Amino acid sequence: MRHLLSAADLSRETAIALLDSAEVMAETADRPHKKLPALRGRTIVNLFFEDSTRTRISFEAAQKRLSADVINFAAKGSSVSKGESLKDTAQTLTAMGVDAVVIRHGSSGAPHLLANRGWIDVPVVNAGDGTHEHPTQALLDAFTLRRRVYGHDSRCRGLDGLRVAIVGDVSHSRVARSNAWLLTTLGATVTLVGPPTLLPHDRSAFPVNFATNLDDVLRESPDAVMMLRIQKERMHSAFFPNEREFGLTWGLTAERFAAMSPHTLVMHPGPMNRGLEICSVAADSPQSTILDQVANGVFVRMAVMFAVLTGNEDV
Amino acid sequence: MTARTLLQAADIQRALTRIAHEILESNRGAGDLVILGIPTRGVFLAQRIAGIISNIEPGSQVPVGVLDVTMYRDDLSDNPTRSTSPSHLPVNIDGATVVLVDDVLYSGRTVRAALDALTDMGRPAVVRLAVLVDRGHRELPIRADYVGKNLPTSHSERINVRLVETDGDDLVEIVGER
């Protein structure tokens, strides 16, 4: 694998190989000595043009576990605020001898530009671009689901036959988009649920079902329900009357959670707006995979960094 | 390209039996032994050696595990690597006598990686190396303690080890111009 730009690009074989590789990485977490020497002497720059805590730290932890040298770049307080272009920033950094670039950018498609314009000649990993994709999040969600369902018998398996509902602010969510592609590629059936104003206008491009009534969807007891964060920073017009009404209609409230099947897993990519799209009872329940998702993020990102930097053909 | 058979199934069985005896002899029994195979074929050879040992010393149960060395290789930046596979240590290896098992010993770089991997997992009292075939051309100061068969080769030749578990039959052959 040369780059990881989009979950839609991943074949079923490649996706499963990455998840299996992440299982191997997860095993090393139980060892007294957690660090692997695989990327010793390689330098990775994390280009974060957009705020992020968990994704940046997760990537950094993954890279350090593999012994890579890590340079963190945040656009705030950098030359970007002096007007430097993406091209110049990337070329400047790679001129310093960087072996791979992880990029988070507010504009959809920025990682594609970086990978395909010939500006730089190193692997590029998309850590979230605008409202487009967040492939490592989808991989860690798939990994978490697979582990919860199959436990230690996860290797070589897809997510065939599982039903997953992704709920809330779908149209602003790169997490929803990446998951829609990846979970479907792995054999799951995905339903996107939300107010009509927050669902995609052109639905033909998505291999998924759409619904607007969350209670109807939950009544069919899906294997997992993934609550999305309401992205206030991306909302520039009124998509729903007010937060309270949104929470009552499309949030995982305590009443909804109590009525839900005890076998339905509760997922959230974080950071959560507790009390808005998800109640604390659900978030802190045994059905919740939210902290598993954070822990698994490191393993999945280790697998991705290893795959792009060692040019493994299988992955 | 010609292929020539060097070891038949019975030869492989005899070599493994001898290695099992040698391991027991130098270790003075099966106590504290842990046998770790290096994927892919080393794993099955390790299981066979452990099976033979438990036949020789009835009642002894030698722990057998898997040591994947992919993440420890020194050529990760040059070559497309094979995918990593899970390691499995059946017991704590601190203070144990670990016997590493691989099919072919060539440059010695795999064994170097295996020693690094072991260091990260514990501190064995002794580490030994058993291989089915030693084909020479070492690039590192490493040698095997137990060798099934020494086969002098040239760099242009290739040694194929086929095992029932992975390939359907037991065979060692040399491929190349002779």
Side-chain angles (χ1 to χ4, degrees), chain B residues 109-145:
Chain B
R109 288 178 189 269
T110 305
V111 176
R112 203 268 325 148
L115 291 172
D116 278 358
L118 266 189
T119 310
D120 279 359
M121 295 178 184
R123 188 180 182 282
V126 180
V127 182
R128 306 274 184 224
L129 175 62
V131 296
L132 182 59
V133 173
D134 181 349
R135 63 168 293 190
H137 302 290
R138 215 76 75 241
E139 295 165 5
L140 295 169
I142 282 171
R143 65 170 179 79
D145 301 277

PDB file of all heavy atoms in Angstrom, chain B residues 109-145:
ATOM      1  N   ARG B 109      20.147 -13.377   8.853  1.00  0.00           N
ATOM      2  CA  ARG B 109      19.464 -12.143   9.255  1.00  0.00           C
ATOM      3  C   ARG B 109      18.121 -12.422   9.940  1.00  0.00           C
ATOM      4  O   ARG B 109      17.699 -11.667  10.822  1.00  0.00           O
ATOM      5  CB  ARG B 109      19.271 -11.220   8.052  1.00  0.00           C
ATOM      6  CG  ARG B 109      20.606 -10.615   7.640  1.00  0.00           C
ATOM      7  CD  ARG B 109      20.533  -9.714   6.435  1.00  0.00           C
ATOM      8  NE  ARG B 109      21.882  -9.377   6.015  1.00  0.00           N
ATOM      9  CZ  ARG B 109      22.552  -8.302   6.450  1.00  0.00           C
ATOM     10  NH1 ARG B 109      21.990  -7.471   7.298  1.00  0.00           N
ATOM     11  NH2 ARG B 109      23.780  -8.071   6.044  1.00  0.00           N
ATOM     12  N   THR B 110      17.450 -13.470   9.525  1.00  0.00           N
ATOM     13  CA  THR B 110      16.195 -13.827  10.193  1.00  0.00           C
ATOM     14  C   THR B 110      16.462 -14.178  11.657  1.00  0.00           C
ATOM     15  O   THR B 110      15.720 -13.777  12.553  1.00  0.00           O
ATOM     16  CB  THR B 110      15.537 -15.026   9.486  1.00  0.00           C
ATOM     17  OG1 THR B 110      15.369 -14.707   8.112  1.00  0.00           O
ATOM     18  CG2 THR B 110      14.198 -15.357  10.098  1.00  0.00           C
ATOM     19  N   VAL B 111      17.554 -14.917  11.882  1.00  0.00           N
ATOM     20  CA  VAL B 111      17.871 -15.330  13.249  1.00  0.00           C
ATOM     21  C   VAL B 111      18.261 -14.105  14.082  1.00  0.00           C
ATOM     22  O   VAL B 111      17.878 -13.979  15.245  1.00  0.00           O
ATOM     23  CB  VAL B 111      19.002 -16.371  13.245  1.00  0.00           C
ATOM     24  CG1 VAL B 111      19.406 -16.739  14.667  1.00  0.00           C
ATOM     25  CG2 VAL B 111      18.558 -17.605  12.478  1.00  0.00           C
ATOM     26  N   ARG B 112      18.975 -13.180  13.475  1.00  0.00           N
ATOM     27  CA  ARG B 112      19.330 -11.936  14.167  1.00  0.00           C
ATOM     28  C   ARG B 112      18.052 -11.235  14.612  1.00  0.00           C
ATOM     29  O   ARG B 112      17.922 -10.785  15.752  1.00  0.00           O
ATOM     30  CB  ARG B 112      20.124 -11.037  13.206  1.00  0.00           C
ATOM     31  CG  ARG B 112      21.021 -10.012  13.812  1.00  0.00           C
ATOM     32  CD  ARG B 112      20.395  -8.628  14.023  1.00  0.00           C
ATOM     33  NE  ARG B 112      19.442  -8.228  13.012  1.00  0.00           N
ATOM     34  CZ  ARG B 112      18.408  -7.458  13.256  1.00  0.00           C
ATOM     35  NH1 ARG B 112      18.174  -7.006  14.472  1.00  0.00           N
ATOM     36  NH2 ARG B 112      17.564  -7.141  12.301  1.00  0.00           N
ATOM     37  N   ALA B 113      17.075 -11.132  13.693  1.00  0.00           N
ATOM     38  CA  ALA B 113      15.799 -10.496  14.019  1.00  0.00           C
ATOM     39  C   ALA B 113      15.086 -11.262  15.131  1.00  0.00           C
ATOM     40  O   ALA B 113      14.500 -10.665  16.036  1.00  0.00           O
ATOM     41  CB  ALA B 113      14.921 -10.419  12.773  1.00  0.00           C
ATOM     42  N   ALA B 114      15.162 -12.587  15.074  1.00  0.00           N
ATOM     43  CA  ALA B 114      14.490 -13.414  16.082  1.00  0.00           C
ATOM     44  C   ALA B 114      15.103 -13.176  17.464  1.00  0.00           C
ATOM     45  O   ALA B 114      14.396 -13.124  18.471  1.00  0.00           O
ATOM     46  CB  ALA B 114      14.600 -14.887  15.709  1.00  0.00           C
ATOM     47  N   LEU B 115      16.420 -12.998  17.509  1.00  0.00           N
ATOM     48  CA  LEU B 115      17.066 -12.756  18.801  1.00  0.00           C
ATOM     49  C   LEU B 115      16.610 -11.413  19.381  1.00  0.00           C
ATOM     50  O   LEU B 115      16.372 -11.293  20.584  1.00  0.00           O
ATOM     51  CB  LEU B 115      18.594 -12.773  18.637  1.00  0.00           C
ATOM     52  CG  LEU B 115      19.171 -14.157  18.317  1.00  0.00           C
ATOM     53  CD1 LEU B 115      20.660 -14.064  17.984  1.00  0.00           C
ATOM     54  CD2 LEU B 115      18.952 -15.123  19.475  1.00  0.00           C
ATOM     55  N   ASP B 116      16.470 -10.408  18.513  1.00  0.00           N
ATOM     56  CA  ASP B 116      15.958  -9.117  18.986  1.00  0.00           C
ATOM     57  C   ASP B 116      14.528  -9.242  19.489  1.00  0.00           C
ATOM     58  O   ASP B 116      14.159  -8.668  20.507  1.00  0.00           O
ATOM     59  CB  ASP B 116      16.017  -8.083  17.857  1.00  0.00           C
ATOM     60  CG  ASP B 116      17.400  -7.477  17.708  1.00  0.00           C
ATOM     61  OD1 ASP B 116      18.285  -7.847  18.503  1.00  0.00           O
ATOM     62  OD2 ASP B 116      17.592  -6.643  16.802  1.00  0.00           O
ATOM     63  N   ALA B 117      13.712  -9.988  18.739  1.00  0.00           N
ATOM     64  CA  ALA B 117      12.319 -10.169  19.143  1.00  0.00           C
ATOM     65  C   ALA B 117      12.243 -10.859  20.506  1.00  0.00           C
ATOM     66  O   ALA B 117      11.472 -10.472  21.378  1.00  0.00           O
ATOM     67  CB  ALA B 117      11.568 -10.984  18.093  1.00  0.00           C
ATOM     68  N   LEU B 118      13.083 -11.875  20.696  1.00  0.00           N
ATOM     69  CA  LEU B 118      13.098 -12.592  21.975  1.00  0.00           C
ATOM     70  C   LEU B 118      13.453 -11.658  23.120  1.00  0.00           C
ATOM     71  O   LEU B 118      12.852 -11.711  24.197  1.00  0.00           O
ATOM     72  CB  LEU B 118      14.150 -13.707  21.926  1.00  0.00           C
ATOM     73  CG  LEU B 118      13.712 -15.094  21.521  1.00  0.00           C
ATOM     74  CD1 LEU B 118      14.867 -16.055  21.757  1.00  0.00           C
ATOM     75  CD2 LEU B 118      12.496 -15.545  22.318  1.00  0.00           C
ATOM     76  N   THR B 119      14.437 -10.794  22.884  1.00  0.00           N
ATOM     77  CA  THR B 119      14.872  -9.863  23.925  1.00  0.00           C
ATOM     78  C   THR B 119      13.718  -8.993  24.408  1.00  0.00           C
ATOM     79  O   THR B 119      13.634  -8.661  25.587  1.00  0.00           O
ATOM     80  CB  THR B 119      15.994  -8.957  23.365  1.00  0.00           C
ATOM     81  OG1 THR B 119      16.967  -9.787  22.767  1.00  0.00           O
ATOM     82  CG2 THR B 119      16.616  -8.110  24.447  1.00  0.00           C
ATOM     83  N   ASP B 120      12.823  -8.634  23.477  1.00  0.00           N
ATOM     84  CA  ASP B 120      11.687  -7.799  23.869  1.00  0.00           C
ATOM     85  C   ASP B 120      10.639  -8.582  24.648  1.00  0.00           C
ATOM     86  O   ASP B 120       9.747  -7.996  25.243  1.00  0.00           O
ATOM     87  CB  ASP B 120      11.017  -7.199  22.618  1.00  0.00           C
ATOM     88  CG  ASP B 120      11.759  -5.974  22.122  1.00  0.00           C
ATOM     89  OD1 ASP B 120      12.764  -5.598  22.758  1.00  0.00           O
ATOM     90  OD2 ASP B 120      11.346  -5.398  21.104  1.00  0.00           O
ATOM     91  N   MET B 121      10.707  -9.891  24.609  1.00  0.00           N
ATOM     92  CA  MET B 121       9.650 -10.681  25.238  1.00  0.00           C
ATOM     93  C   MET B 121      10.076 -11.320  26.544  1.00  0.00           C
ATOM     94  O   MET B 121       9.256 -11.877  27.262  1.00  0.00           O
ATOM     95  CB  MET B 121       9.189 -11.771  24.278  1.00  0.00           C
ATOM     96  CG  MET B 121       8.541 -11.184  23.049  1.00  0.00           C
ATOM     97  SD  MET B 121       8.061 -12.462  21.921  1.00  0.00           S
ATOM     98  CE  MET B 121       7.475 -11.477  20.561  1.00  0.00           C
ATOM     99  N   GLY B 122      11.338 -11.291  26.835  1.00  0.00           N
ATOM    100  CA  GLY B 122      11.788 -11.889  28.085  1.00  0.00           C
ATOM    101  C   GLY B 122      13.273 -12.139  28.037  1.00  0.00           C
ATOM    102  O   GLY B 122      13.972 -11.698  27.128  1.00  0.00           O
ATOM    103  N   ARG B 123      13.746 -12.883  29.065  1.00  0.00           N
ATOM    104  CA  ARG B 123      15.173 -13.136  29.117  1.00  0.00           C
ATOM    105  C   ARG B 123      15.426 -14.618  29.333  1.00  0.00           C
ATOM    106  O   ARG B 123      15.523 -15.107  30.467  1.00  0.00           O
ATOM    107  CB  ARG B 123      15.814 -12.336  30.265  1.00  0.00           C
ATOM    108  CG  ARG B 123      17.326 -12.408  30.245  1.00  0.00           C
ATOM    109  CD  ARG B 123      17.937 -11.613  31.374  1.00  0.00           C
ATOM    110  NE  ARG B 123      19.387 -11.668  31.309  1.00  0.00           N
ATOM    111  CZ  ARG B 123      20.116 -12.709  31.706  1.00  0.00           C
ATOM    112  NH1 ARG B 123      19.521 -13.792  32.183  1.00  0.00           N
ATOM    113  NH2 ARG B 123      21.430 -12.681  31.611  1.00  0.00           N
ATOM    114  N   PRO B 124      15.496 -15.377  28.225  1.00  0.00           N
ATOM    115  CA  PRO B 124      15.762 -16.808  28.352  1.00  0.00           C
ATOM    116  C   PRO B 124      17.153 -17.033  28.932  1.00  0.00           C
ATOM    117  O   PRO B 124      18.049 -16.196  28.761  1.00  0.00           O
ATOM    118  CB  PRO B 124      15.714 -17.313  26.906  1.00  0.00           C
ATOM    119  CG  PRO B 124      15.210 -16.201  26.078  1.00  0.00           C
ATOM    120  CD  PRO B 124      15.403 -14.938  26.831  1.00  0.00           C
ATOM    121  N   ALA B 125      17.330 -18.171  29.623  1.00  0.00           N
ATOM    122  CA  ALA B 125      18.653 -18.501  30.144  1.00  0.00           C
ATOM    123  C   ALA B 125      19.587 -18.845  28.987  1.00  0.00           C
ATOM    124  O   ALA B 125      20.753 -18.460  28.977  1.00  0.00           O
ATOM    125  CB  ALA B 125      18.558 -19.674  31.116  1.00  0.00           C
ATOM    126  N   VAL B 126      19.055 -19.602  28.018  1.00  0.00           N
ATOM    127  CA  VAL B 126      19.852 -20.049  26.883  1.00  0.00           C
ATOM    128  C   VAL B 126      18.980 -19.983  25.631  1.00  0.00           C
ATOM    129  O   VAL B 126      17.788 -20.270  25.697  1.00  0.00           O
ATOM    130  CB  VAL B 126      20.301 -21.524  27.083  1.00  0.00           C
ATOM    131  CG1 VAL B 126      21.135 -21.994  25.902  1.00  0.00           C
ATOM    132  CG2 VAL B 126      21.063 -21.692  28.384  1.00  0.00           C
ATOM    133  N   VAL B 127      19.569 -19.580  24.516  1.00  0.00           N
ATOM    134  CA  VAL B 127      18.852 -19.650  23.243  1.00  0.00           C
ATOM    135  C   VAL B 127      19.659 -20.519  22.295  1.00  0.00           C
ATOM    136  O   VAL B 127      20.863 -20.324  22.128  1.00  0.00           O
ATOM    137  CB  VAL B 127      18.663 -18.255  22.608  1.00  0.00           C
ATOM    138  CG1 VAL B 127      17.858 -18.369  21.310  1.00  0.00           C
ATOM    139  CG2 VAL B 127      17.960 -17.311  23.569  1.00  0.00           C
ATOM    140  N   ARG B 128      19.002 -21.518  21.712  1.00  0.00           N
ATOM    141  CA  ARG B 128      19.650 -22.390  20.727  1.00  0.00           C
ATOM    142  C   ARG B 128      18.930 -22.264  19.388  1.00  0.00           C
ATOM    143  O   ARG B 128      17.796 -21.791  19.336  1.00  0.00           O
ATOM    144  CB  ARG B 128      19.575 -23.852  21.178  1.00  0.00           C
ATOM    145  CG  ARG B 128      20.117 -24.113  22.566  1.00  0.00           C
ATOM    146  CD  ARG B 128      21.608 -24.339  22.523  1.00  0.00           C
ATOM    147  NE  ARG B 128      22.119 -24.685  23.845  1.00  0.00           N
ATOM    148  CZ  ARG B 128      23.233 -24.166  24.359  1.00  0.00           C
ATOM    149  NH1 ARG B 128      23.939 -23.272  23.675  1.00  0.00           N
ATOM    150  NH2 ARG B 128      23.654 -24.524  25.554  1.00  0.00           N
ATOM    151  N   LEU B 129      19.595 -22.732  18.353  1.00  0.00           N
ATOM    152  CA  LEU B 129      19.001 -22.637  17.018  1.00  0.00           C
ATOM    153  C   LEU B 129      19.018 -24.000  16.338  1.00  0.00           C
ATOM    154  O   LEU B 129      20.061 -24.660  16.276  1.00  0.00           O
ATOM    155  CB  LEU B 129      19.796 -21.627  16.166  1.00  0.00           C
ATOM    156  CG  LEU B 129      19.376 -21.504  14.698  1.00  0.00           C
ATOM    157  CD1 LEU B 129      17.940 -21.005  14.577  1.00  0.00           C
ATOM    158  CD2 LEU B 129      20.321 -20.567  13.945  1.00  0.00           C
ATOM    159  N   ALA B 130      17.844 -24.403  15.863  1.00  0.00           N
ATOM    160  CA  ALA B 130      17.739 -25.650  15.093  1.00  0.00           C
ATOM    161  C   ALA B 130      17.203 -25.320  13.707  1.00  0.00           C
ATOM    162  O   ALA B 130      16.229 -24.586  13.573  1.00  0.00           O
ATOM    163  CB  ALA B 130      16.781 -26.617  15.799  1.00  0.00           C
ATOM    164  N   VAL B 131      17.870 -25.839  12.654  1.00  0.00           N
ATOM    165  CA  VAL B 131      17.369 -25.616  11.296  1.00  0.00           C
ATOM    166  C   VAL B 131      17.354 -26.939  10.539  1.00  0.00           C
ATOM    167  O   VAL B 131      18.160 -27.829  10.805  1.00  0.00           O
ATOM    168  CB  VAL B 131      18.237 -24.601  10.508  1.00  0.00           C
ATOM    169  CG1 VAL B 131      18.188 -23.232  11.162  1.00  0.00           C
ATOM    170  CG2 VAL B 131      19.671 -25.073  10.376  1.00  0.00           C
ATOM    171  N   LEU B 132      16.428 -27.045   9.606  1.00  0.00           N
ATOM    172  CA  LEU B 132      16.363 -28.256   8.800  1.00  0.00           C
ATOM    173  C   LEU B 132      17.504 -28.275   7.787  1.00  0.00           C
ATOM    174  O   LEU B 132      18.141 -29.293   7.571  1.00  0.00           O
ATOM    175  CB  LEU B 132      15.006 -28.331   8.085  1.00  0.00           C
ATOM    176  CG  LEU B 132      14.767 -29.574   7.229  1.00  0.00           C
ATOM    177  CD1 LEU B 132      14.864 -30.832   8.083  1.00  0.00           C
ATOM    178  CD2 LEU B 132      13.404 -29.495   6.555  1.00  0.00           C
ATOM    179  N   VAL B 133      17.762 -27.104   7.187  1.00  0.00           N
ATOM    180  CA  VAL B 133      18.810 -27.022   6.161  1.00  0.00           C
ATOM    181  C   VAL B 133      19.711 -25.828   6.443  1.00  0.00           C
ATOM    182  O   VAL B 133      19.218 -24.729   6.710  1.00  0.00           O
ATOM    183  CB  VAL B 133      18.182 -26.853   4.753  1.00  0.00           C
ATOM    184  CG1 VAL B 133      19.272 -26.605   3.711  1.00  0.00           C
ATOM    185  CG2 VAL B 133      17.360 -28.064   4.384  1.00  0.00           C
ATOM    186  N   ASP B 134      21.017 -26.055   6.418  1.00  0.00           N
ATOM    187  CA  ASP B 134      21.965 -24.942   6.463  1.00  0.00           C
ATOM    188  C   ASP B 134      22.611 -24.844   5.091  1.00  0.00           C
ATOM    189  O   ASP B 134      23.313 -25.757   4.664  1.00  0.00           O
ATOM    190  CB  ASP B 134      23.029 -25.201   7.543  1.00  0.00           C
ATOM    191  CG  ASP B 134      24.026 -24.042   7.644  1.00  0.00           C
ATOM    192  OD1 ASP B 134      24.018 -23.165   6.753  1.00  0.00           O
ATOM    193  OD2 ASP B 134      24.800 -24.029   8.615  1.00  0.00           O
ATOM    194  N   ARG B 135      22.341 -23.761   4.374  1.00  0.00           N
ATOM    195  CA  ARG B 135      22.836 -23.658   3.001  1.00  0.00           C
ATOM    196  C   ARG B 135      24.061 -22.744   2.881  1.00  0.00           C
ATOM    197  O   ARG B 135      24.517 -22.442   1.785  1.00  0.00           O
ATOM    198  CB  ARG B 135      21.734 -23.209   2.056  1.00  0.00           C
ATOM    199  CG  ARG B 135      21.180 -21.827   2.334  1.00  0.00           C
ATOM    200  CD  ARG B 135      20.300 -21.338   1.204  1.00  0.00           C
ATOM    201  NE  ARG B 135      21.063 -21.108  -0.009  1.00  0.00           N
ATOM    202  CZ  ARG B 135      20.589 -20.493  -1.093  1.00  0.00           C
ATOM    203  NH1 ARG B 135      19.346 -20.070  -1.099  1.00  0.00           N
ATOM    204  NH2 ARG B 135      21.342 -20.295  -2.149  1.00  0.00           N
ATOM    205  N   GLY B 136      24.599 -22.277   4.010  1.00  0.00           N
ATOM    206  CA  GLY B 136      25.817 -21.462   3.965  1.00  0.00           C
ATOM    207  C   GLY B 136      25.544 -20.009   3.632  1.00  0.00           C
ATOM    208  O   GLY B 136      24.406 -19.555   3.747  1.00  0.00           O
ATOM    209  N   HIS B 137      26.578 -19.272   3.260  1.00  0.00           N
ATOM    210  CA  HIS B 137      26.503 -17.866   2.866  1.00  0.00           C
ATOM    211  C   HIS B 137      26.059 -16.952   3.993  1.00  0.00           C
ATOM    212  O   HIS B 137      25.255 -16.038   3.793  1.00  0.00           O
ATOM    213  CB  HIS B 137      25.557 -17.674   1.669  1.00  0.00           C
ATOM    214  CG  HIS B 137      25.955 -18.460   0.485  1.00  0.00           C
ATOM    215  ND1 HIS B 137      27.076 -18.168  -0.255  1.00  0.00           N
ATOM    216  CD2 HIS B 137      25.397 -19.564  -0.081  1.00  0.00           C
ATOM    217  CE1 HIS B 137      27.179 -19.038  -1.233  1.00  0.00           C
ATOM    218  NE2 HIS B 137      26.188 -19.907  -1.150  1.00  0.00           N
ATOM    219  N   ARG B 138      26.611 -17.175   5.189  1.00  0.00           N
ATOM    220  CA  ARG B 138      26.233 -16.332   6.321  1.00  0.00           C
ATOM    221  C   ARG B 138      26.753 -14.912   6.138  1.00  0.00           C
ATOM    222  O   ARG B 138      27.859 -14.700   5.641  1.00  0.00           O
ATOM    223  CB  ARG B 138      26.796 -16.922   7.613  1.00  0.00           C
ATOM    224  CG  ARG B 138      25.905 -16.727   8.782  1.00  0.00           C
ATOM    225  CD  ARG B 138      24.713 -17.654   8.815  1.00  0.00           C
ATOM    226  NE  ARG B 138      25.101 -19.005   9.194  1.00  0.00           N
ATOM    227  CZ  ARG B 138      24.917 -20.049   8.390  1.00  0.00           C
ATOM    228  NH1 ARG B 138      24.343 -19.886   7.217  1.00  0.00           N
ATOM    229  NH2 ARG B 138      25.293 -21.243   8.785  1.00  0.00           N
ATOM    230  N   GLU B 139      25.925 -13.943   6.539  1.00  0.00           N
ATOM    231  CA  GLU B 139      26.345 -12.543   6.505  1.00  0.00           C
ATOM    232  C   GLU B 139      26.561 -12.004   7.911  1.00  0.00           C
ATOM    233  O   GLU B 139      26.925 -10.843   8.090  1.00  0.00           O
ATOM    234  CB  GLU B 139      25.289 -11.694   5.775  1.00  0.00           C
ATOM    235  CG  GLU B 139      25.157 -12.064   4.304  1.00  0.00           C
ATOM    236  CD  GLU B 139      23.904 -11.524   3.632  1.00  0.00           C
ATOM    237  OE1 GLU B 139      23.160 -10.767   4.279  1.00  0.00           O
ATOM    238  OE2 GLU B 139      23.684 -11.866   2.462  1.00  0.00           O
ATOM    239  N   LEU B 140      26.292 -12.848   8.914  1.00  0.00           N
ATOM    240  CA  LEU B 140      26.420 -12.421  10.309  1.00  0.00           C
ATOM    241  C   LEU B 140      27.073 -13.566  11.085  1.00  0.00           C
ATOM    242  O   LEU B 140      27.003 -14.721  10.662  1.00  0.00           O
ATOM    243  CB  LEU B 140      25.029 -12.128  10.902  1.00  0.00           C
ATOM    244  CG  LEU B 140      24.263 -10.955  10.283  1.00  0.00           C
ATOM    245  CD1 LEU B 140      22.825 -10.949  10.775  1.00  0.00           C
ATOM    246  CD2 LEU B 140      24.927  -9.638  10.616  1.00  0.00           C
ATOM    247  N   PRO B 141      27.717 -13.232  12.215  1.00  0.00           N
ATOM    248  CA  PRO B 141      28.358 -14.303  12.985  1.00  0.00           C
ATOM    249  C   PRO B 141      27.336 -15.142  13.749  1.00  0.00           C
ATOM    250  O   PRO B 141      27.187 -15.024  14.946  1.00  0.00           O
ATOM    251  CB  PRO B 141      29.284 -13.534  13.931  1.00  0.00           C
ATOM    252  CG  PRO B 141      28.639 -12.208  14.094  1.00  0.00           C
ATOM    253  CD  PRO B 141      27.964 -11.907  12.799  1.00  0.00           C
ATOM    254  N   ILE B 142      26.603 -15.965  13.012  1.00  0.00           N
ATOM    255  CA  ILE B 142      25.541 -16.792  13.597  1.00  0.00           C
ATOM    256  C   ILE B 142      25.716 -18.211  13.085  1.00  0.00           C
ATOM    257  O   ILE B 142      26.050 -18.417  11.908  1.00  0.00           O
ATOM    258  CB  ILE B 142      24.152 -16.232  13.179  1.00  0.00           C
ATOM    259  CG1 ILE B 142      23.821 -15.015  14.040  1.00  0.00           C
ATOM    260  CG2 ILE B 142      23.065 -17.296  13.291  1.00  0.00           C
ATOM    261  CD1 ILE B 142      22.605 -14.258  13.588  1.00  0.00           C
ATOM    262  N   ARG B 143      25.544 -19.202  13.965  1.00  0.00           N
ATOM    263  CA  ARG B 143      25.569 -20.581  13.489  1.00  0.00           C
ATOM    264  C   ARG B 143      24.466 -21.365  14.191  1.00  0.00           C
ATOM    265  O   ARG B 143      23.980 -20.954  15.253  1.00  0.00           O
ATOM    266  CB  ARG B 143      26.928 -21.233  13.747  1.00  0.00           C
ATOM    267  CG  ARG B 143      27.244 -21.380  15.195  1.00  0.00           C
ATOM    268  CD  ARG B 143      28.452 -22.235  15.488  1.00  0.00           C
ATOM    269  NE  ARG B 143      28.618 -22.242  16.939  1.00  0.00           N
ATOM    270  CZ  ARG B 143      27.899 -22.990  17.756  1.00  0.00           C
ATOM    271  NH1 ARG B 143      27.008 -23.840  17.267  1.00  0.00           N
ATOM    272  NH2 ARG B 143      28.062 -22.909  19.063  1.00  0.00           N
ATOM    273  N   ALA B 144      24.103 -22.487  13.582  1.00  0.00           N
ATOM    274  CA  ALA B 144      23.034 -23.293  14.169  1.00  0.00           C
ATOM    275  C   ALA B 144      23.625 -24.319  15.129  1.00  0.00           C
ATOM    276  O   ALA B 144      24.730 -24.826  14.916  1.00  0.00           O
ATOM    277  CB  ALA B 144      22.257 -24.001  13.064  1.00  0.00           C
ATOM    278  N   ASP B 145      22.889 -24.616  16.205  1.00  0.00           N
ATOM    279  CA  ASP B 145      23.329 -25.653  17.145  1.00  0.00           C
ATOM    280  C   ASP B 145      22.916 -27.036  16.665  1.00  0.00           C
ATOM    281  O   ASP B 145      23.580 -28.021  16.946  1.00  0.00           O
ATOM    282  CB  ASP B 145      22.705 -25.385  18.520  1.00  0.00           C
ATOM    283  CG  ASP B 145      23.112 -24.026  19.052  1.00  0.00           C
ATOM    284  OD1 ASP B 145      24.202 -23.927  19.628  1.00  0.00           O
ATOM    285  OD2 ASP B 145      22.348 -23.052  18.855  1.00  0.00           O
TER     286      ASP B 145
END
